[in-house]
Amino acid sequence: MTAAHRLILIRHGESEWNSKNLFTGWVDVGLTTKGAEEARRGGELLRSRSLLPDVLHTSVLRRAIRTAEIALDEADLGWLPVRRSWRLNERHYGALQGKDKAQTLAKFGEEQFMIWRRSYSTPPPPLDDSSEFSQAGDARYADLPPELLPRTECLADVVDRMLPYWYDGIVPDLRRGQTVLIAAHGNSLRALVKHLDGMTDEAVVALNIPTGIPLLYELDESLKPLTPGGEYLDPEAAVAAIEAVKNQGRK
Ligand SMILES: O=C(O)[C@H](O)COP(=O)(O)O
């Protein structure tokens, strides 16, 4: 069956805090040199497969914005129309933002670490607005009703706040026949993949998204994937990178 719609997902390249093994969430850190190279390689893959998006959607965090900018520049598509939304942001990691993943694992143990990192419905403790890693008062969220600004999120929370943008901001572009590129984050993409593939709350715990490798979803008329899980444009690199994400925090 030929695809009715094409959707390409890309997680931002390695960030400064990915390389330092810190929980990041909504803290707005940049890309490392390696992360910028991952983004460029992502654009090269798009170009070599002639997978040329017609529109870009990003979060409002610089690591995703910059990844898209570099990748699209490599594909000579720097001019692409773009829309940004906080609803594509990384999961808010609450009081874990800024904390070292290995130290958190050592301090709280494997079970608590995995609950906070990968459980579907248990968020980390909330982050106090007075924290240096809080987004309270950040201008980019000024229009957000205060009750919507998270102080922590579990993946279920991300699904709930991401889906309205999926339906209202992205699906219309797909339905008008556009190839859509989404540049976002590990957990906001886990939330979208869970929705696309109809994954259970239990199955999504084991899902990890690698940095910088485009993931192609060819969708049918009802927006169901023709290939469950999609297709990474560099499958070999994806296998190794997914394993690395899974083992973050473990020396
Ligand atoms: O926000 C972060 O810390 C990372 O980008 C995602 O981290 P995780 O893979 O530990 O959820």
Side-chain angles (χ1 to χ4, degrees), residues 11 18 22-25 90 93 101 117-118 187 248:
R11 179 181 176 191
N18 288 155
L22 302 178
F23 285 104
T24 314
E90 177 56 273
Y93 251 115
K101 293 184 179 180
R117 191 174 181 227
R118 286 291 179 268
N187 290 292
Q248 268 182 6

Side-chain angles (χ1 to χ4, degrees), residues 11-12 15 17-18 21-27 29 63 90-93 96-99 101 113 116-118 185-187 190 207-209 211 245-246 248-249:
R11 179 181 176 191
H12 61 80
S15 74
W17 281 19
N18 288 155
N21 215 21
L22 302 178
F23 285 104
T24 314
W26 283 31
V27 179
V29 296
R63 57 193 188 269
E90 177 56 273
R91 174 161 75 102
H92 193 295
Y93 251 115
L96 292 183
Q97 292 189 168
K99 296 276 192 290
K101 293 184 179 180
F113 180 78
W116 282 335
R117 191 174 181 227
R118 286 291 179 268
H185 304 263
N187 290 292
R190 289 177 71 236
L207 176 66
N208 287 292
I209 306 282
T211 52
V245 172
K246 178 185 168 201
Q248 268 182 6

